[in-house]
Amino acid sequence: MFALMALFAFSAFILKPADAEGDKIVGVWEPGHGKAKVKIEKIADKYYGKIVWLLEPIDPDTNKPKVDKNNPDESMRNVPLKGYRILKDFVYKGNGEWAEGTIYDPENGNTYSCEIKMKDDNTLDIRGYIGVRTFGRTDTWKRLQMKS
Amino acid sequence: MGRLIRKIIIAAIPFMFLFACGGAGEKVELIVSDLELFAEGYLFDGSNTATASWSFDQSRILEEKGHSGKKIAQARITSITIGSDENSELPSIDKVVIEMAASGTRMIRIGLLQESLEPGESYALQIADTQKGLEKFFEQEEITFVADVNLLEDFEDDLRLKLSVSFELEVK
């Protein structure tokens, strides 16, 4: 019984700060290209990011709001890009790193493995890659509402 | 000639076992209803996230369906409906995208609705063709249904939508 109580007390002290640290990524971020803004939120115990603003929200070909026209699943090509969840399933690993996630590129319909490193409170390094982490590309995202 | 037939039969036995073990299982329908997608207001126009959690136990589901001791080998969504109470107040909504998330597997998109929602009405979503790895969700203890609800206006109240999801499960 004592061991169980000790375990609960230990969890309360140990797990809560890690949760709070992981939640530092929550907020609205701007990718390096500046064409979108992405809101990162926590759903259940993972982190997800969706497009909340587009520099060019209207598709010049259709004169309608942009949709996910390159999605490999044809049945989902009418999903609007504004509101599209492009970052999925990130787990906080400690030391300002979120891993095991994916990033979706609506420009080509490809999904890449992805890791996120928080350089400081207002800067993220987002690394997308296929297979091996070495062969990838890193983009720097800035927090929209800077924390001082 | 008899010896040849005997050899063929002996050679075929392992394959017969393989096919017997890897054959199609029984189909079971599972309807998960009375879920409430909830987003706390104040909500701004554009995409807002509403979630509903469903806790379950795979062995208990199968026990209730008369398949004790078996596992869910494959799963497929056959229908998704959303709606609201007749007396509820709804903002103008033009699109809803629904995804499924769980801790031990990857989030997948399962449905899309491209209609305006009216209180008291029920709407069937277009189901995603690709539903890869859906059975892995049933190895977890909880599934979170995530709805991206596109509002055409600000809404100062909480948003509550009823959700019902039907699965076709292959049990072995």
Side-chain angles (χ1 to χ4, degrees), chain A residues 35-61:
Chain A
K35 292 193 281 188
K37 284 167 186 148
V38 177
K39 183 180 184 181
I40 297 181
E41 56 194 350
K42 191 178 186 181
I43 299 172
D45 55 354
K46 295 188 201 171
Y47 297 88
Y48 300 84
K50 65 179 180 182
I51 297 170
V52 289
W53 179 89
L54 285 166
L55 180 65
E56 293 164 355
I58 303 297
D59 187 333
D61 296 335

Side-chain angles (χ1 to χ4, degrees), chain B residues 25-26 58-59 62-63 66-73 171-172:
Chain B
E26 281 183 73
Q58 181 179 156
S59 54
L62 294 179
E63 196 182 308
H67 294 282
S68 298
K70 292 184 180 175
K71 290 271 178 199
I72 296 169
V171 175
K172 282 185 185 175

Side-chain angles (χ1 to χ4, degrees), chain B residues 104-155:
Chain B
T105 186
R106 297 207 172 278
M107 179 186 261
I108 61 166
R109 183 172 303 117
I110 54 173
L112 167 68
L113 179 74
Q114 302 181 83
E115 275 182 73
S116 302
L117 268 66
E118 296 295 331
E121 298 292 323
S122 185
Y123 300 86
L125 277 76
Q126 182 187 336
I127 308 295
D129 288 343
T130 307
Q131 299 181 21
K132 213 173 162 188
L134 209 67
E135 59 281 356
K136 285 184 189 158
F137 282 85
F138 287 92
E139 293 166 14
Q140 319 302 319
E141 292 172 347
E142 187 175 88
I143 291 174
T144 303
F145 294 94
V146 184
D148 291 311
V149 185
N150 197 45
L151 303 190
L152 299 173
E153 59 184 357
D154 293 354
F155 187 60

Side-chain angles (χ1 to χ4, degrees), chain A residues 54-96:
Chain A
L54 285 166
L55 180 65
E56 293 164 355
I58 303 297
D59 187 333
D61 296 335
T62 60
N63 273 329
K64 287 181 177 171
K66 284 183 179 171
V67 291
D68 185 25
K69 61 183 180 188
N70 297 314
N71 194 309
D73 182 349
E74 280 184 36
S75 67
M76 292 287 113
R77 285 185 183 166
N78 278 330
V79 171
L81 270 195
K82 195 177 159 192
Y84 201 95
R85 194 164 278 109
I86 58 166
L87 298 176
K88 285 185 176 178
D89 299 306
F90 285 86
V91 176
Y92 184 60
K93 296 291 183 183
N95 293 326

